[in-house]
Amino acid sequence: MRARWTSVALILSSFAWAFAAVPPPDTMNYQGVLRDAAGNPLDGNFDMIFLFFDSASAGNEILLDQHLASGSGAVSVSGGLFNVALGSGSVVDGSGPGYYSTLSDVFRNYGALWLEIEVAGDRLSPRVKVLNAGYAHNAGSLEGRPAAEFIDTSTSSQTKNGNLTLDGGSGTGLIARGAYRGGSFEDSNSSGYVYLANGDYGLRAYGATAGGYFQNTAQSGLARIAVGDEGIRAFGNDAGGFFQDRDQSGYARVGVGDEGIQAYGNSAGGFFADGDSSGYAWVGIGDDGIRGHGNRAGGYFTDLDGSGYAYIAIGERGLNAFGNDVGGYLKDRNNSGRSWVGFGDRGIEAIGDEMGGAFKDGDGTGIAYVGVGDEGIRGYGTTAGGYFEDSDSSGYGWIGRFNTGAEFYANDAGVYSSDLTSGVFARLAFDGSSTQGNGTKNFVQNHPEDDDRVIVYSALEGDEAATYTRGSARLIDGMAVVPLGRTFRFVTNPDIGLTAHLTPRAPSGGLYVDSLTTEELVVRTTDGSKSDIVFDYIVYGLRIGFENQPVVQVKTFDAYLPKLLETAETAADHPDIAASTPRTRFASMVGASANGASSEISSRAAELLAAIGTFDPLRNPAPAPLRAKNDLSERGVTDPSPSSVPEDMPLVGEDAPRNVGVVSVDATENASETPGPETDDETLFPTWTLLPASE
């Protein structure tokens, strides 16, 4: 079916009066006649769509008003005549710009509109321009003023020159909303401006001097926000700022008196936490100044350039501190005591007017002073002055324990000392030896005739753990029965290794040893002379228990010959010292000069020296054991504490009986008595007058 227009009439349903500002309705009346292609008026109900455009042809589709049987209802036509209230159907926003849902919205923004009608799917043409009703012309002004001088409620941008005063009475003076912000204010040169309800911010303000400025009428309190590089700068006669909760159980003053912040609360003075509460801290909680907790550390502090920083309660450590100069620095107020922790290559460096450091336990029974007077360490304790051990307790020792200056124990050796320059080392209590080392054992005494010299004697070395006793005796009727030292029999093997040496003091027919035990020496003459002859004797034996100690042992450490640099240099500068060397002495015995051929090292001696090796501090490491030869684990002991040592093993350590295995020494052990009445006249080397031996 084709339809066509025969007449059109547009009638507005309301009028705008100059003296009134009544809002118009959102509908307007439209009348028309609908005929068929032959010009006959039509009857019935027809689907109609009324479309509003901003142009007579083409243009933008602004709004559609649909009157459909399937929707708000079809349009009734009688004798070709129909009447429609436009805007009363199903109103739909058009495909053009903007969004419109009512006719009033469209007429508010568009001064010229064209109407196009679609009947039963057919578009009728031409479009009809929408015209004003007579009195509607007066809507272009209000009280004689054009619309351009008024602020309306449209969505278009509008400017009001001059001041604007809003009086909300008992309500709100201004309510503003916007997709981007609620409001925007700025001065004439845009040096200061503010956004209200901008994004997630209630207020966002900017200014050349500060983002915001607040002051009371008396000017006793004022605050600047975002001034320079500071977030807030506030001043007040009482405090810079004051904050509290509603019931006043927690409150804080900022910039009060000489203090930055004063905070108080029933639970804590302050509480701080990150977004997921993995790190948090209380300030002024209970009896604690600060209590901090975190997944990584309780607290972290650093200077501005990160050159010094510290962690508190990190892992299993109380404090981890680092710095380019030192890990930590502490001192008292008058600078009389100060200390550096983690300073250079030192763990701690401490200085004080009285001492470097003082340490004690809770009841004061153990005390140690470090750097006190001219002493490095001074320690006191009820058990010992000091106790030291390695991590597995395989080496430990006491200093100032009982009546002993030092007491040391270890799996390898009781004590180990080494000279890094010469390579001389010594072990005390090592593998059956009281002392063991690669140097000589010496005693030193003052030179009796030269105050600038000392006498240094070396102990005799041998291939056995030997004992000896010596003295003088006299033959009577060609025979002498000599009782040996009282304790010689206690330390000497009675069966093997006994030897005796005799030296007569006068010509004799020949002395010989008739019999020898660890208790008695019997001497006779070879010619049967009955002469009274005085002689000297010395008896050697093997120390009991050391008969099986090997001279050749498995190598567990390097034992180079010491490099006696200091002694050699001193001897070269002082001829009298050089003359006292064994080499010089033996050279003189054969009538050769100390500087002659006999003072040269022979090829055989040089080969032996090279095979043994002489310590060189530049090539050889410091003498140290290659393994723990006396490792208790090799002897079935896994726990080195004294309580775990088997009963058949000699005890050492704190629980060992004092002087285990030590024989008390008699000051007169080398003296012998003449049979007969007791006498107090005992000398180191007495001469005995012996009774004739019974046959």
Side-chain angles (χ1 to χ4, degrees):
M1 176 191 71
R2 290 290 299 170
R4 62 184 178 87
W5 288 101
T6 58
S7 63
V8 177
L10 296 178
I11 302 175
L12 296 177
S13 61
S14 64
F15 300 92
W17 299 96
F19 55 83
V22 179
D26 284 334
T27 60
M28 69 179 185
N29 193 45
Y30 175 81
Q31 290 180 343
V33 176
L34 186 64
R35 301 176 184 274
D36 59 16
N40 299 315
L42 297 175
D43 293 294
N45 295 323
F46 296 87
D47 286 341
M48 296 187 184
I49 300 176
F50 300 88
L51 301 93
F52 292 86
F53 290 85
D54 60 1
S55 176
S57 63
N60 296 307
E61 182 185 80
I62 307 302
L63 186 99
L64 293 81
D65 182 21
Q66 301 174 337
H67 295 262
L68 306 176
S70 60
S72 60
V75 177
S76 176
V77 179
S78 176
L81 184 65
F82 65 90
N83 187 46
V84 178
L86 297 181
S88 64
S90 297
V91 180
V92 179
D93 180 41
S95 60
Y99 176 80
Y100 299 95
S101 60
T102 64
L103 284 177
S104 59
D105 290 338
V106 176
F107 287 113
R108 187 177 296 114
N109 290 344
Y110 290 91
L113 288 172
W114 281 262
L115 177 65
E116 182 176 288
I117 303 174
E118 178 181 309
V119 179
D122 291 332
R123 292 284 181 99
L124 306 183
S125 62
R127 295 175 183 171
V128 179
K129 186 174 183 179
V130 180
L131 303 175
N132 289 337
Y135 283 102
H137 287 286
N138 198 37
S141 63
L142 181 61
E143 294 184 348
R145 296 178 180 274
E149 295 186 10
F150 293 93
I151 297 176
D152 58 34
T153 59
S154 68
T155 59
S156 61
S157 298
Q158 301 172 60
T159 301
K160 167 69 174 70
N161 294 323
N163 294 331
L164 176 64
T165 300
L166 302 175
D167 186 356
S170 60
T172 302
L174 175 66
I175 297 176
R177 300 183 182 89
Y180 182 56
R181 64 177 68 95
S184 174
F185 302 87
E186 65 180 46
D187 62 2
S188 59
N189 61 5
S190 298
S191 62
Y193 51 97
V194 61
Y195 302 115
L196 301 179
N198 179 224
D200 293 330
Y201 296 100
L203 173 69
R204 183 180 288 180
Y206 307 86
T209 301
Y213 179 83
F214 303 86
Q215 183 175 11
N216 64 8
T217 56
Q219 299 185 1
S220 60
L222 57 101
R224 297 183 180 92
I225 299 178
V227 53
D229 293 329
E230 300 169 5
I232 298 178
R233 185 184 292 180
F235 308 88
N237 291 345
D238 181 50
F242 179 78
F243 307 85
Q244 72 177 34
D245 62 1
R246 295 185 180 224
D247 62 0
Q248 300 183 7
S249 62
Y251 56 95
R253 295 185 177 91
V254 181
V256 54
D258 294 329
E259 300 173 4
I261 298 178
Q262 275 185 0
Y264 308 87
N266 291 345
S267 174
F271 177 77
F272 306 85
D274 63 0
D276 60 359
S277 296
S278 61
Y280 52 95
W282 289 277
V283 180
I285 176 173
D287 294 329
D288 299 330
I290 298 177
R291 189 183 296 175
H293 308 269
N295 289 346
R296 183 175 63 167
Y300 175 74
F301 304 86
T302 180
D303 63 0
L304 294 179
D305 62 1
S307 61
Y309 53 98
Y311 301 94
I312 299 178
I314 176 173
E316 297 179 352
R317 299 177 184 170
L319 174 67
N320 256 22
F322 307 86
N324 290 346
D325 179 50
V326 64
Y329 177 72
L330 309 170
K331 69 174 179 177
D332 62 1
R333 295 194 174 186
N334 61 7
N335 206 38
S336 62
R338 56 195 184 278
S339 64
W340 294 265
V341 181
F343 178 57
D345 294 330
R346 303 182 180 100
I348 297 177
E349 184 168 308
I351 304 172
D353 290 351
E354 183 181 0
M355 66 189 66
F359 306 86
K360 64 172 65 177
D361 61 2
D363 59 3
T365 58
I367 307 170
Y369 303 106
V370 180
V372 53
D374 294 329
E375 301 171 6
I377 298 177
R378 185 185 295 178
Y380 307 88
T382 55
T383 300
Y387 175 77
F388 305 87
E389 71 174 54
D390 62 3
S391 59
D392 61 358
S393 299
S394 61
Y396 53 96
W398 290 269
I399 297 178
R401 181 172 184 254
F402 299 127
N403 296 320
T404 306
E407 194 171 309
F408 301 102
Y409 305 91
N411 288 349
D412 180 55
V415 176
Y416 174 78
S417 299
S418 175
D419 174 12
L420 297 179
T421 301
S422 67
V424 174
F425 68 89
R427 288 175 172 80
L428 304 182
F430 177 72
D431 197 21
S433 301
S434 298
T435 61
Q436 188 180 93
N438 62 341
T440 61
K441 295 182 286 293
N442 307 101
F443 76 80
V444 182
Q445 74 170 44
N446 289 335
H447 197 296
E449 298 176 353
D450 190 340
D451 289 341
D452 295 331
R453 301 289 187 266
V454 293
I455 304 296
V456 181
Y457 263 49
S458 297
L460 184 66
E461 309 293 349
D463 58 359
E464 62 184 5
T467 60
Y468 80 92
T469 184
R470 65 189 180 93
S472 297
R474 183 189 299 273
L475 289 174
I476 298 177
D477 294 333
M479 177 181 175
V481 179
V482 184
L484 301 179
R486 294 179 183 179
T487 59
F488 186 66
R489 67 183 185 275
F490 297 143
V491 297
T492 306
N493 189 302
D495 300 319
I496 60 173
L498 285 174
T499 60
H501 302 269
L502 308 175
T503 304
R505 295 284 185 91
S508 66
L511 302 179
Y512 71 94
V513 176
D514 184 62
S515 64
L516 176 62
T517 68
T518 57
E519 299 179 12
E520 182 181 79
L521 168 66
V522 177
V523 179
R524 295 179 184 271
T525 60
T526 58
D527 59 0
S529 171
K530 303 297 184 181
S531 60
D532 186 4
I533 299 174
V534 176
F535 64 92
D536 299 327
Y537 68 88
I538 183 169
V539 177
Y540 289 101
L542 288 176
R543 184 177 172 186
I544 189 71
F546 288 81
E547 304 87 340
N548 295 320
Q549 184 173 12
V551 176
V552 178
Q553 299 182 13
V554 176
K555 185 177 182 180
T556 60
F557 52 85
D558 280 317
Y560 299 104
L561 292 171
K563 191 173 184 65
L564 305 181
L565 297 174
E566 183 176 350
T567 305
E569 292 171 357
T570 303
D573 296 335
H574 300 278
D576 63 314
I577 293 178
S580 68
T581 66
R583 186 171 192 80
T584 304
R585 196 157 46 84
F586 276 97
S588 65
M589 292 179 188
V590 297
S593 169
N595 297 323
S598 62
S599 66
E600 298 290 339
I601 298 177
S602 68
S603 60
R604 291 187 300 170
E607 290 177 1
L608 184 57
L609 285 172
I612 298 170
T614 302
F615 180 79
D616 185 345
L618 299 179
R619 292 186 302 173
N620 303 128
L626 303 179
R627 66 178 180 87
K629 181 177 178 60
N630 231 8
D631 190 353
L632 291 179
S633 63
E634 295 181 356
R635 302 164 66 185
V637 179
T638 57
D639 182 1
S641 60
S643 60
S644 67
V645 179
E647 294 182 358
D648 58 350
M649 181 181 292
L651 285 175
V652 296
E654 185 175 3
D655 297 333
R658 302 293 294 171
N659 297 326
V660 168
V662 177
V663 179
S664 65
V665 178
D666 189 337
T668 61
E669 69 178 49
N670 286 325
S672 298
E673 295 181 347
T674 301
E678 292 184 0
T679 174
D680 294 330
D681 186 14
E682 295 181 337
T683 60
L684 184 60
F685 304 117
T687 300
W688 291 275
T689 301
L690 302 180
L691 296 176
S694 60
E695 297 293 340

